[in-house]
Amino acid sequence: MTVHSDRNPRRSASNALPLRGGRFLLVVVSILLVAVVLIGRVTLLQLFDRPFLQNQGDARTLRHETIPAHRGMITDRNGEPLAISTPVVTLWANPQELPEDGIQQVLLAGELGINLEALQARLERYREHEFMYLRRHMTPDDAQRVLDLRLPGVYSRPEYKRYYPAGEVAAQILGVTNIDDQGQEGMELAYQPYLAGHTGQRRVVQDRRGRLVRELGVVREAQPGGELVLSIDQRLQFMAYRELRSAVMDNEADGGVAIMMDVRNGEVLAMANYPSYNPNNRAGLDPQGLRNQAVVDVFEPGSVMKPLAMMAVLESREFSADEVVDTSPGWMRIDQFTIRDIRNYGTLDFSGILEKSSNIGMSKLALQMPDTAIWEKYSQLGFGLAPGTGFPGESAGSLPAPIRWSRSERAALSYGYGLSVSPLQLASAYTAIANQGQRMSPSLLRLNDIPQGTQVVASNTAEQLLGLLETSVGPDTGGRRARVEGYRVAGKTGTVRKSDASGYSQTAYRSVFAGIAPVSDPRVVTVIMIDHPKAGDIYGGAVAAPVFSSITGNALRLLDVPPDDESIN
């Protein structure tokens, strides 16, 4: 049986054409709609969301960079630099961007000057972080050699590093800064806000690797720190340090201090400490060398206090310098304590008491004075009070209040025991003798105007004491080694037993000398303290007085002070 289909192939083909055309039209319309949507979205973004998009884009290319402010310079009184800031480069890295290729890490470690294993250990430790220091404070040339490797993830940052031209000579006065250029000791710490300055800021364009593409402008200018001018004269400081170091080494001492003050205004012209350290290279630093012993350390001064106690005696008007005191037999018993002189000096006038440094003579004078007379004079001279220099940790010393004092305590105070002072306080007290009775407060900064001193004794009393102290360094005295050729000098020696928890040592001493020059028109007060000399001599006249002579003589000549010793032809 034959079956006939009613479908016409030609008619079926013609019916499919509209369907295909409809699909094509649908595709075209869809594309057009998508295009319209995209164009509309772009238009909306450009018209309404442009600030947002621009900020997002800038955040990925624009940066605000810190402009470092260099720390203010510290100079001596004549403008010679004592502390300056030099530009350096710090390299840092993003550990997540650094290459793991061993050869590149070898190259990086080599240019950084560090051990490869150490570098790899650090990279591993900071692997999850985006910041780590590679090396701080490199010279610009050394840093550029690292940057020339063009390693991804390595970046640079400009900084400043402190440099001290005088090295160990003035280290304790100046102090130091840390690696972030912040003051940690000395004047660097005392004047940190003034010296530090304020950082600036600039806008820059960087590429994806953090490299500078273009600088867009400065947002805030950096403000450098202020310049600090010290009272120190670098020439005198160098000489003082040289002579002090030589004396400490020659006498096999533990250390020493030399300080020189201008009697006219209280400016500290030199302040040397030994041991010291090089602030530019602190490897193997001895912590003892950090201490400015002239300001922060104290000691019992001993016989150098006798002229200051005698100041109170003369001021009382109950005694004259010509009166004699019987010191026989060279010792005396007070309150179960025995006070001794080196030998029996017999009868001594005031000049003899200072020249022979008689403990018996001073004790007998003190015990005839009102109970608090010497204590009050010491207080007026600044003992027991901070000097007020602003130096970090400056010591006030110790001047015990006269409550229920025993006779032995009153006697001990007159020959320099029972109180503690700093070398700076001692120098300041001696300015009262050198400056017509006016004590000058010490200053570590150069002064433009002469400050008003504190009148602690009548000018004629101060002049009388100056004459007595000149006799104490005469040719046949224990202080004769303090004499300076061409100049008249005055001063007093001291030899002090060191004390500890168990009492006074029988073998450890401090050798001290405090002096004034020139006598005709005093210009400087110099105090020398040598701690625990062990080479043989222990007396202030043998150990400390020669240091005074060298330092003071050189200083007077450098300061163009005319000679006043008419006995020199």
Side-chain angles (χ1 to χ4, degrees):
M1 183 178 65
T2 303
V3 180
H4 297 280
S5 173
D6 59 355
R7 293 183 181 180
N8 189 329
R10 186 175 298 175
R11 186 174 56 188
S12 298
S14 64
N15 289 339
L17 287 174
L19 182 59
R20 292 176 181 172
R23 289 176 178 174
F24 177 76
L25 182 61
L26 180 62
V27 171
V28 172
V29 171
S30 299
I31 293 173
L32 290 175
L33 286 175
V34 171
V36 169
V37 171
L38 290 175
I39 294 172
R41 180 57 179 162
V42 170
T43 303
L44 289 174
L45 291 174
Q46 289 293 323
L47 293 178
F48 300 104
D49 294 336
R50 182 173 182 175
F52 171 78
L53 294 173
Q54 187 171 4
N55 288 339
Q56 290 298 308
D58 287 349
R60 289 163 173 80
T61 58
L62 290 181
R63 293 289 185 271
H64 284 85
E65 272 193 353
T66 297
I67 304 174
H70 69 79
R71 194 173 179 83
M73 182 165 60
I74 302 179
T75 73
D76 82 338
R77 63 183 305 102
N78 301 312
E80 293 296 324
L82 295 173
I84 57 178
S85 290
T86 57
V88 292
V89 177
T90 285
L91 295 181
W92 63 278
N94 183 341
Q96 299 181 15
E97 299 177 4
L98 281 173
E100 296 183 2
D101 179 67
I103 295 178
Q104 290 181 313
Q105 290 185 1
V106 169
L107 292 173
L108 178 60
E111 291 297 344
L112 289 173
I114 61 177
N115 182 272
L116 175 61
E117 288 74 17
L119 174 62
Q120 291 174 336
R122 290 180 59 201
L123 290 175
E124 184 62 30
R125 190 164 62 251
Y126 287 91
R127 182 59 62 189
E128 302 301 322
H129 300 265
E130 295 184 353
F131 178 90
M132 63 170 274
Y133 283 116
L134 289 174
R135 185 173 166 188
R136 301 290 301 271
H137 293 178
M138 299 181 69
T139 65
D141 289 342
D142 289 344
Q144 190 58 49
R145 282 195 291 271
V146 178
L147 296 173
D148 287 343
L149 296 175
R150 299 187 179 277
L151 298 177
V154 177
Y155 307 100
S156 64
R157 185 172 73 190
E159 290 184 326
Y160 288 94
K161 180 182 179 181
R162 209 60 162 165
Y163 175 67
Y164 301 92
E168 63 185 38
V169 171
Q172 292 86 358
I173 307 172
L174 299 171
V176 292
T177 59
N178 62 15
I179 197 167
D180 294 317
D181 217 21
Q182 298 174 333
Q184 299 295 292
E185 301 280 350
M187 301 300 277
E188 293 276 28
L189 174 59
Y191 289 88
Q192 163 65 19
Y194 176 75
L195 290 167
H198 301 282
T199 59
Q201 197 175 67
R202 64 175 181 171
R203 297 179 72 220
V204 298
V205 176
Q206 295 177 333
D207 64 13
R208 64 183 181 86
R209 295 178 59 184
R211 294 175 299 194
L212 178 65
V213 175
R214 185 170 70 256
E215 182 175 340
L216 299 180
V218 175
V219 177
R220 183 178 66 251
E221 293 283 356
Q223 299 179 5
E227 181 177 310
L228 194 66
V229 182
L230 302 188
S231 59
I232 298 298
D233 186 318
Q234 187 170 232
R235 302 169 301 172
L236 303 183
Q237 180 71 20
F238 175 79
M239 287 190 303
Y241 179 77
R242 180 190 63 194
E243 297 298 331
L244 177 66
R245 180 180 61 182
S246 178
V248 169
M249 296 177 69
D250 290 345
N251 289 281
E252 300 176 10
D254 290 347
V257 171
I259 181 170
M260 178 181 292
M261 281 182 62
D262 189 326
V263 303
R264 303 170 304 175
N265 56 15
E267 290 179 334
V268 177
L269 301 177
M271 181 183 284
N273 290 265
Y274 194 85
S276 187
Y277 69 100
N278 183 356
N280 301 308
N281 181 11
R282 302 170 207 174
L285 172 65
D286 178 4
Q288 184 63 25
L290 287 170
R291 299 180 63 81
N292 188 349
Q293 301 175 62
V295 183
V296 304
D297 286 359
V298 296
F299 64 101
E300 284 185 300
S303 294
V304 291
M305 296 297 291
K306 289 173 180 173
L308 305 177
M310 192 169 284
M311 182 184 292
V313 175
L314 290 172
E315 191 179 43
S316 71
R317 306 303 178 193
E318 298 294 327
F319 304 90
S320 70
D322 295 330
E323 292 188 39
V324 295
V325 177
D326 186 5
T327 67
S328 299
W331 60 273
M332 61 186 296
R333 191 80 171 165
I334 307 177
D335 299 335
Q336 311 304 314
F337 293 95
T338 301
I339 301 173
R340 299 180 183 276
D341 285 340
I342 294 177
R343 61 180 62 90
N344 182 6
Y345 293 118
T347 56
L348 298 172
D349 60 10
F350 282 21
S351 175
I353 290 173
L354 293 182
E355 178 185 332
K356 303 298 184 183
S357 199
S358 172
N359 294 334
I360 305 300
M362 283 307 309
S363 296
K364 288 189 172 183
L365 289 173
L367 293 176
Q368 296 180 65
M369 298 287 293
D371 290 356
T372 63
I374 292 177
W375 181 91
E376 290 173 356
K377 186 56 60 183
Y378 284 178
S379 182
Q380 292 173 5
L381 289 167
F383 299 115
L385 303 171
T389 62
F391 192 89
E394 68 175 3
S395 178
S398 174
L399 181 62
I403 301 175
R404 294 188 299 274
W405 268 4
S406 65
R407 286 167 51 84
S408 60
E409 288 173 320
R410 288 168 52 198
L413 203 66
S414 72
Y415 55 83
Y417 283 83
L419 77 162
S420 61
V421 307
S422 70
L424 182 61
Q425 288 178 309
L426 189 58
S428 176
Y430 265 68
T431 62
I433 300 176
N435 195 36
Q436 299 181 334
Q438 287 192 45
R439 182 182 71 86
M440 305 305 296
S441 297
S443 173
L444 294 175
L445 301 180
R446 189 184 68 185
L447 303 175
N448 295 320
D449 301 310
I450 298 178
Q452 182 65 42
T454 302
Q455 194 78 37
V456 297
V457 70
S459 59
N460 62 333
T461 301
E463 185 176 353
Q464 192 174 19
L465 276 170
L466 188 62
L468 295 175
L469 289 177
E470 183 177 16
T471 303
S472 295
V473 294
D476 300 321
T477 67
R480 62 187 180 277
R481 294 180 179 87
R483 295 167 64 84
V484 177
E485 185 176 359
Y487 295 92
R488 296 167 56 196
V489 300
K492 182 71 185 76
T493 62
T495 308
V496 194
R497 292 184 185 274
K498 295 185 67 171
S499 61
D500 53 31
S502 60
Y504 288 103
S505 171
Q506 299 298 315
T507 57
Y509 296 84
R510 288 187 177 94
S511 306
V512 189
F513 188 88
I516 301 164
V519 170
S520 60
D521 185 14
R523 178 68 185 277
V524 296
V525 164
T526 306
V527 171
I528 309 296
M529 188 277 289
I530 305 297
D531 184 18
H532 193 191
K534 298 181 286 292
D537 286 322
I538 60 170
Y539 296 108
V543 177
V547 188
F548 168 89
S549 177
S550 298
I551 293 175
T552 305
N554 287 328
L556 294 175
R557 287 183 281 271
L558 263 177
L559 295 172
D560 291 327
V561 177
D564 66 338
D565 189 350
E566 298 178 356
S567 65
I568 304 297
N569 294 326

